[in-house]
Amino acid sequence: MAVGHVLEGDAVRRQDPELADVLLAERERQSSTLQLIAAENFMSPAVLAALASPSANKYAEGYPGNRYHGGCEVVDLAERLAVERATALFGAEHANVQAHSGSSAVLAAYAALLRPGDTVLALGLHYGGHLTHGSPANFSGRWFDFVGYGVDAESGLVDHDQVRALARNHRPKAIVCGSIAYPRHLDHAFFREVADEVGAYLIADAAHPIGLVAGGVAPSPVPYADIVCATTHKVLRGPRGGMILCGAELAERVDRAVFPFTQGGAQMNAVAAKAVAFGEAATPAFAAYAHRVVANARTLAAALAAEGLIVVTGGTDTHLVVADPAPLGVDGRTARGRLAAAGIVLDCCALPHDDDRGLRLGTAAVTTQGMGVREMKFVAGLLASVLRGGTEPARAREDVRELAAAFPPYPR
Ligand SMILES: *Cc1c(COP(=O)(O)O)cnc(C)c1O
């Protein structure tokens, strides 16, 4: 079936063996190592097939029923399905499913609500804010005046008093809540209250937790935020891409901010693949998956703590674990390299008040493979042993290969 066609890349192999070898090598890498990068997942064969479908050929500027190109009547059906499924899944009045990525979704949200030079309050980059939350290397930091809030040094939790004080002082036009490395649920009602007090818009950048929201294991920002930005490829397990949710009154501004303001034609194969992923995410099987993702992350966090790592916030509510490996004698950057040699693939990240000293792990991908709490305990033990120098990375690599082989992400 389509799985074989897509995964084996028969057409590519016949025509371009050189590139086919690269594709197969990446497939082999993904299935013989452990993907603990918190932003990654394994999309289903159906989502992959939609991505590789000829819908990719279609040019479709505009929105269903109102396109700048002819011949859009069929892809319009795919986009309508994606929008219907997204609004039903998240209880939102409006969904834009055209954003090419999470960053594009955030750009469009700013474009819908702000003017260059406006003040925006967001989680500081050293505390887990995303590039689009005011990095000087990103459009956000260049075009807007960002003020950063932080987390409490002791608890690792968002400092609500500071958020309120900064909002009162700076009177931002928008407040952003969302992070690349926050293992706990955010208090959306709190952010709404502060935004209302100072007359700011509230933008929730739920790129990471949106899949957990779909699975019913994380609180939804939809009732609280003016605009919710998200990715479709993290825990949500869809194609690489972005999505924006909002109320009816902002729908037109959001749609115009995506097209024609920040993007041209939609990628209709990605839109179709998003529809497939939203369909999957609405099933009881996905809710069960989301519960297992969190259970696995909690087990991983506890096992890492038992091995001596310092787990930020003392645990997790989500798929994400942030840990300081310093007690084992390494920093995050060194640890990432040593673990990569063992086939344990993860990110280093900023710890509160410190760059690159921490490790960020996520359980979305390994849970899709079917791994459970037993495997999480095994992985934590192996990881700590490699970092302590008790197990050579090359030796650990064999254990990882054996474990991964027992949980293939795709059928052989
Ligand atoms: C992943 C992420 C993004 C960006 O997603 P891309 O698709 O890589 O552009 C934006 N914001 C947050 C909070 C994220 O975690």
Side-chain angles (χ1 to χ4, degrees):
M1 68 170 251
V3 189
H5 174 69
V6 172
L7 294 179
E8 303 302 340
D10 289 339
V12 180
R13 192 159 23 183
R14 254 178 277 121
Q15 180 182 316
D16 188 341
E18 191 180 7
L19 197 272
D21 281 348
V22 176
L23 294 181
L24 285 173
E26 174 58 12
R27 183 184 174 185
E28 176 58 24
R29 188 197 68 80
Q30 287 184 18
S31 47
S32 70
T33 57
L34 288 174
Q35 315 312 316
L36 293 174
I37 290 182
E40 292 184 2
N41 210 332
F42 292 103
M43 52 185 119
S44 74
V47 173
L48 271 179
L51 266 187
S53 71
S55 289
N57 298 324
K58 189 71 199 93
Y59 232 111
E61 282 182 353
Y63 291 97
N66 184 21
R67 303 280 192 185
Y68 291 78
H69 298 96
C72 290
E73 58 281 358
V74 183
V75 291
D76 277 4
L77 299 175
E79 183 161 348
R80 285 206 169 98
L81 265 184
V83 169
E84 274 165 27
R85 288 177 182 180
T87 51
L89 183 58
F90 297 107
E93 287 171 357
H94 182 68
N96 183 301
V97 296
Q98 291 192 7
H100 296 328
S101 69
S103 298
S104 311
V106 177
L107 171 60
Y110 295 168
L113 302 178
L114 308 173
R115 301 210 150 257
D118 278 347
T119 299
V120 184
L121 181 61
L123 185 62
L125 266 58
H126 300 289
Y127 305 98
H130 184 256
L131 276 173
T132 53
H133 302 173
S135 164
N138 182 263
F139 71 86
S140 54
R142 175 143 357 142
W143 293 342
F144 302 102
D145 185 12
F146 270 84
V147 176
Y149 56 87
V151 299
D152 180 79
E154 279 297 302
S155 67
L157 301 175
V158 170
D159 185 341
H160 282 192
D161 293 339
Q162 189 194 20
V163 173
R164 199 185 293 276
L166 288 172
R168 284 175 179 167
N169 265 338
H170 293 272
R171 314 300 292 189
K173 186 85 178 288
I175 298 175
V176 179
C177 62
S179 169
I180 60 170
Y182 196 65
R184 298 296 182 172
H185 298 319
L186 289 169
D187 185 345
H188 302 117
F190 162 77
F191 281 97
R192 179 75 262 169
E193 184 190 307
V194 175
D196 284 344
E197 185 192 322
V198 301
Y201 289 111
L202 179 62
I203 300 172
D205 185 357
H208 270 279
I210 197 73
L212 300 174
V213 173
V217 287
S220 173
V222 169
Y224 300 98
D226 296 290
I227 293 183
V228 175
C229 302
T231 59
T232 48
H233 52 273
K234 296 180 182 176
V235 186
L236 190 54
R237 215 158 60 179
R240 297 200 69 81
M243 170 178 63
I244 305 172
L245 305 168
C246 65
E249 71 288 355
L250 285 177
E252 203 182 320
R253 273 160 81 181
V254 163
D255 283 351
R256 280 174 194 278
V258 174
F259 173 87
F261 195 76
T262 59
Q263 291 187 180
Q267 298 173 345
M268 295 316 297
N269 57 324
V271 167
K274 286 171 191 175
V276 176
F278 297 147
E280 291 177 356
T283 62
F286 188 88
Y289 161 72
H291 279 88
R292 283 197 301 274
V293 166
V294 176
N296 278 345
R298 290 210 163 114
T299 301
L300 188 60
L304 290 173
E307 293 286 352
L309 288 87
I310 301 164
V311 173
V312 174
T313 77
T316 182
D317 296 330
T318 66
H319 61 300
L320 249 160
V321 179
V322 177
D324 183 355
L328 307 194
V330 284
D331 65 11
R333 189 166 279 275
T334 312
R336 182 183 64 176
R338 228 182 264 176
L339 292 169
I344 300 173
V345 185
L346 42 64
D347 293 316
C348 52
C349 72
L351 288 176
H353 310 280
D354 221 329
D355 275 352
D356 279 1
R357 266 206 13 232
L359 289 175
R360 183 184 72 152
L361 306 85
T363 52
V366 291
T367 306
T368 293
Q369 286 175 272
M371 293 188 201
V373 294
R374 233 182 52 168
E375 287 74 32
M376 294 307 103
K377 288 177 188 164
F378 175 78
V379 169
L382 190 61
L383 178 154
S385 178
V386 169
L387 294 188
R388 263 195 232 98
T391 305
E392 281 304 311
R395 175 76 201 70
R397 180 77 189 85
E398 291 318 306
D399 290 348
V400 166
R401 198 183 296 281
E402 199 173 307
L403 172 63
F407 296 91
Y410 296 110
R412 276 278 138 195

